[in-house]
Amino acid sequence: HINNKYYSQHFEDSFNYLHSNPYAMYLYLLSQEAAYTLQNENYANKFFYLNKIKHSLDIYYKVKLPEIFLFMHPIGTIIGNGSFGDFLVVYHSVTVGGKVGEFKYPQIGKDVTLYANSTLIGDCKIGNRVVIGANT
């Protein structure tokens, strides 16, 4: 499980729309549902932009996060394409994505924590049970 005092495996115990961490996660998931279940890209884009405005979180609905993930104060975070394992924890000002002009993206294993201001760009492979420290 995710070892964090703010995480609960029971959605009804942990979700509070007044708390920005789960609300940012909710808007990301809602944008995916709008795009893939409702097949309505207009709504998907609106939820994406609401998340970007409200939380400064740039994660497009086409980015596939794992089933189990946690945003911790995701202000200023940009999550682009990559592959992500379960139990991913992302803090603020994290950047994940590809290099301009290349189609190579990070591969992130299970049980990975990305602390504040960590950056993963391009063709990098992060194994399982890894902590990426702040400012790396």
Side-chain angles (χ1 to χ4, degrees):
H1 71 283
I2 292 177
N3 186 17
N4 187 292
K5 66 181 179 179
Y6 299 111
Y7 179 79
S8 171
Q9 292 183 349
H10 305 287
F11 182 77
E12 62 275 1
D13 294 338
S14 63
F15 182 76
N16 178 347
Y17 72 93
L18 296 175
H19 194 278
S20 65
N21 297 344
Y23 194 61
M25 294 165 48
Y26 173 73
L27 287 174
Y28 161 72
L29 293 171
L30 198 57
S31 69
Q32 283 203 319
E33 285 296 311
Y36 299 115
T37 303
L38 300 176
Q39 296 186 351
N40 187 324
E41 285 197 43
N42 186 35
Y43 282 155
N45 282 315
K46 287 180 180 184
F47 293 129
F48 162 71
Y49 288 122
L50 179 59
N51 214 2
K52 198 169 181 179
I53 292 166
K54 187 166 180 59
H55 302 106
S56 296
L57 174 61
D58 188 336
I59 178 167
Y60 203 53
Y61 62 86
K62 291 183 180 180
V63 173
K64 305 283 190 224
L65 287 184
E67 185 174 331
I68 303 167
F69 69 94
L70 177 66
F71 292 152
M72 289 300 303
H73 314 294
I75 302 295
T77 292
I78 301 168
I79 302 177
N81 289 323
S83 63
F84 304 91
D86 275 331
F87 311 107
L88 174 69
V89 180
V90 178
Y91 281 78
H92 64 277
S93 298
V94 167
T95 301
V96 176
K99 289 184 179 181
V100 174
E102 295 183 19
F103 294 102
K104 297 178 181 176
Y105 304 106
Q107 298 174 23
I108 300 170
K110 283 184 162 184
D111 193 19
V112 172
T113 299
L114 303 173
Y115 278 108
N117 298 310
S118 59
T119 302
L120 301 173
I121 301 291
D123 189 19
C124 56
K125 294 176 177 72
I126 306 299
N128 297 326
R129 296 176 302 281
V130 173
V131 173
I132 305 293
N135 299 314
T136 51

